[in-house]
Amino acid sequence: MVQVILLSGGSGKRLWPLSNGARSKQFLQFLSCPSGGRESMLQRVIRQIKESSLDCDITVAANDQQRDMLINQLGDSVNVVLEPSRRHTFPAIVLSCTDLLLNKGCSKDSVVVVLPCDPYTDAGYFEVIKQMASAAERGLADLIYMGVKPTEPSDKYGYIFPDDTSAQLAENVLRVKNFTEKPSVTDAEKFIANGAFWNSGVFAFRLGYIIDIVEQRYLKVKDFAELRSRYSELPNISFDYEIAERTRNAAMVPFNGNWQDVGTWNILSSIMPDRTIGNVHLGTQCSNVHIINELSVPIYCDGMTDTIVAAGPDGILVSAKSASDTVKQHVDQLVDRPMYEERRWGTYRVLDRTSGSDGMQSLTKNLFLRPGCNISYQLHHHRQEVWTFVDGIGRLRLDDEERIVRAGDVIHIQREQKHGLKAITPLTFIEVQIGTDLVEEDIVRLEMNW
């Protein structure tokens, strides 16, 4: 059985303001799905893998901030490996491979296929993955790439050069001569003229190939918990640089179908089924305009061409589609924390933030808990909170005493006071935090069974 590792990393900057560190682009549910409604890029690629009849188990490699989003969208349908800290693709792949070896009992001869979780592609892509897995199983090379036939010179992708001086290793399997990571557009034009392919970020190999490299170069892989504790000792580098460019025995299976790396608003808008999402009104003088609105207030747009508008709790983007990829360079200056997050228990949205001349701050949130779900039993060192319940019924525990709360109840929670909440019905409340250091890290979680 093939082991598929889906890389679910990303800093959430390219599709700001609707993506952030906890809600990266692959979780945005903007694509149409066969059953109706919308699905995310992550949900789409997992559905396509299962529809492809590829005999495989799926592991999603993600960072801890994405854990709740993964649970909400996938449930327990796949294996999830969480990085102890956000790092590049090489350590993430090593961590996932170690999990397969030590926790899942896979042998070193097991075939592993690594792919991004956000390609927009067709069924032929997964047929090529089957060919790659077969080539790895037969030992035709240490590392098997998927090479995508380029449609234009681009500096966003690495380039693979097949060795046209030697015969095919097998049908549709070409030996690789070398590999170059993200050249200039001028060089990319030359590469394409000489028969180079885009690197799709899809690799196949035997599990033992990566495990042996890690043990030879860095540390012995004997205990998964130990590897997680020593995760920072692995180089924070991409798999392309650390493995692909240093591999001398590599092959490639070409793919000439529809493939798009959905990394910018321009590309995402080209595959969206609708021109607008949310409370949006388009005038009659708009051409090639896409608007996504996650706010409650309406957006009206007219007289614009080739434009993307995206509005959410983190901010508002208005950009020419051709310039939309520049937003990544400015996100760190635009926002200092996510204003909306999905959690296993529900969602929260920041409504307001203030700072007083005396150093006191306030932060107001709207929180929604799903029935049967709870926020952890906890306390805070640096803030007090006021909870105002506006809809639903829940169970409140305050300093080990329990009571029922419902719409209209107001609860004052002091610093160091233990508190927790479980929803009996869908439960909505407003939380006002007051203190000098209002950060998510000011939470001490306590053991408790509801």
Side-chain angles (χ1 to χ4, degrees):
M1 179 176 289
V2 175
Q3 300 298 322
V4 170
I5 297 175
L6 283 175
L7 297 178
S8 176
S11 58
K13 295 180 179 181
R14 290 185 177 183
L15 296 183
W16 182 90
L18 304 188
S19 66
N20 53 45
R23 191 193 186 199
S24 298
K25 62 181 181 178
Q26 60 268 24
F27 298 111
L28 299 177
Q29 293 178 306
F30 297 153
L31 306 179
S32 59
C33 59
S35 59
R38 296 190 179 97
E39 65 184 355
S40 68
M41 289 178 263
L42 177 62
Q43 290 170 320
R44 174 186 166 88
V45 74
I46 289 179
R47 173 177 59 78
Q48 289 179 306
I49 290 172
K50 293 179 178 180
E51 291 173 352
S52 72
S53 71
L54 177 66
D55 184 20
C56 68
D57 282 334
I58 300 173
T59 293
V60 178
N63 59 71
D64 189 61
Q65 227 181 339
Q66 297 175 342
R67 177 185 56 185
D68 290 353
M69 289 290 294
L70 286 166
I71 293 172
N72 289 342
Q73 293 200 359
L74 306 179
D76 57 359
S77 62
V78 299
N79 178 40
V80 175
V81 174
L82 297 174
E83 296 179 275
S85 60
R86 190 191 296 269
R87 292 174 70 77
H88 224 306
T89 53
F90 172 68
I93 291 170
V94 168
L95 189 69
S96 299
C97 287
T98 305
D99 176 72
L100 293 176
L101 179 72
L102 299 180
N103 292 340
K104 304 304 176 186
C106 296
S107 74
K108 284 190 172 184
D109 288 331
S110 299
V111 173
V112 178
V113 178
V114 178
L115 62 149
C117 67
D118 55 0
Y120 190 83
T121 187
D122 55 39
Y125 176 87
F126 300 94
E127 291 302 314
V128 169
I129 287 178
K130 291 179 186 178
Q131 296 174 35
M132 295 171 63
S134 174
E137 185 177 25
R138 287 180 286 166
L140 298 182
D142 292 331
L143 187 64
I144 315 293
Y145 301 97
M146 177 191 289
V148 173
K149 188 71 174 177
T151 57
E152 61 180 354
S154 173
D155 58 1
K156 294 181 174 65
Y157 312 121
Y159 285 76
I160 304 169
F161 297 82
D163 188 352
D164 54 10
T165 63
S166 64
Q168 293 187 146
L169 296 173
E171 183 179 358
N172 212 34
V173 181
L174 311 176
R175 184 175 297 280
V176 168
K177 181 168 54 179
N178 57 24
F179 173 96
T180 297
E181 177 68 2
K182 296 181 180 177
S184 67
V185 172
T186 300
D187 285 341
E189 291 177 344
K190 299 175 184 177
F191 295 164
I192 293 173
N194 290 323
F197 288 74
W198 282 338
N199 174 21
S200 65
V202 183
F203 307 96
F205 48 82
R206 294 283 187 95
L207 181 58
Y209 174 65
I210 296 300
I211 297 298
D212 291 345
I213 286 176
V214 174
E215 292 191 333
Q216 291 165 11
R217 297 179 188 173
Y218 303 109
L219 49 87
K220 295 296 182 182
V221 179
K222 301 299 182 185
D223 181 81
F224 183 74
E226 180 186 4
L227 178 65
R228 290 190 92 254
S229 68
R230 300 177 63 185
Y231 192 61
S232 61
E233 296 179 26
L234 296 172
N236 191 21
I237 193 171
S238 76
F239 187 86
D240 294 326
Y241 284 124
E242 181 65 13
I243 301 296
E245 287 194 344
R246 299 170 67 173
T247 298
R248 295 292 172 261
N249 180 22
M252 185 197 79
V253 179
F255 173 59
N256 196 24
N258 176 34
W259 178 85
Q260 295 187 72
D261 177 16
V262 187
T264 66
W265 279 114
N266 190 19
I267 295 177
L268 177 59
S269 64
S270 70
I271 60 176
M272 284 172 50
D274 304 304
R275 294 176 63 193
T276 65
I277 296 176
N279 191 357
V280 175
H281 303 270
L282 274 181
T284 59
Q285 301 180 63
C286 283
S287 174
N288 192 27
V289 172
H290 285 77
I291 304 177
I292 302 171
N293 184 13
E294 292 191 335
L295 302 177
S296 58
V297 295
I299 291 179
Y300 175 79
C301 183
D302 203 1
M304 301 183 74
T305 302
D306 301 330
T307 302
I308 183 75
V309 179
D314 283 3
I316 298 173
L317 167 75
V318 181
S319 174
K321 290 187 176 181
S322 60
S324 62
D325 61 342
T326 63
V327 68
K328 182 179 180 181
Q329 306 165 23
H330 305 284
V331 170
D332 289 339
Q333 288 75 48
L334 295 171
V335 65
D336 59 358
R337 58 159 296 154
M339 304 293 281
Y340 171 85
E341 286 195 47
E342 289 188 28
R343 299 289 181 87
R344 284 175 293 178
W345 43 260
T347 62
Y348 81 76
R349 186 183 300 261
V350 176
L351 303 177
D352 185 54
R353 291 185 293 179
T354 64
S355 295
S357 58
D358 60 353
M360 294 298 290
Q361 304 173 31
S362 70
L363 180 74
T364 305
K365 288 182 178 181
N366 181 295
L367 295 96
F368 170 76
L369 269 66
R370 299 186 184 92
C373 295
N374 66 276
I375 57 176
S376 63
Y377 197 45
Q378 59 189 245
L379 60 83
H380 312 293
H381 295 307
H382 303 289
R383 68 176 185 252
Q384 58 178 302
E385 296 178 346
V386 179
W387 289 358
T388 302
F389 293 89
V390 297
D391 189 40
I393 302 172
R395 292 167 55 193
L396 172 75
R397 182 167 291 188
L398 199 61
D399 277 342
D400 300 325
E401 293 187 5
E402 191 172 308
R403 56 169 287 191
I404 298 296
V405 290
R406 61 187 74 241
D409 288 341
V410 179
I411 305 297
H412 294 262
I413 302 167
Q414 304 301 320
R415 290 182 182 88
E416 310 292 342
Q417 192 168 23
K418 295 180 290 184
H419 57 283
L421 181 66
K422 182 173 184 176
I424 298 173
T425 68
L427 185 63
T428 302
F429 66 103
I430 304 298
E431 174 183 281
V432 180
Q433 302 176 6
I434 303 170
T436 57
D437 192 15
L438 305 182
V439 294
E440 292 298 309
E441 290 74 19
D442 183 25
I443 298 177
V444 179
R445 291 183 170 84
L446 308 168
E447 291 292 331
M448 192 198 77
N449 293 318
W450 287 97

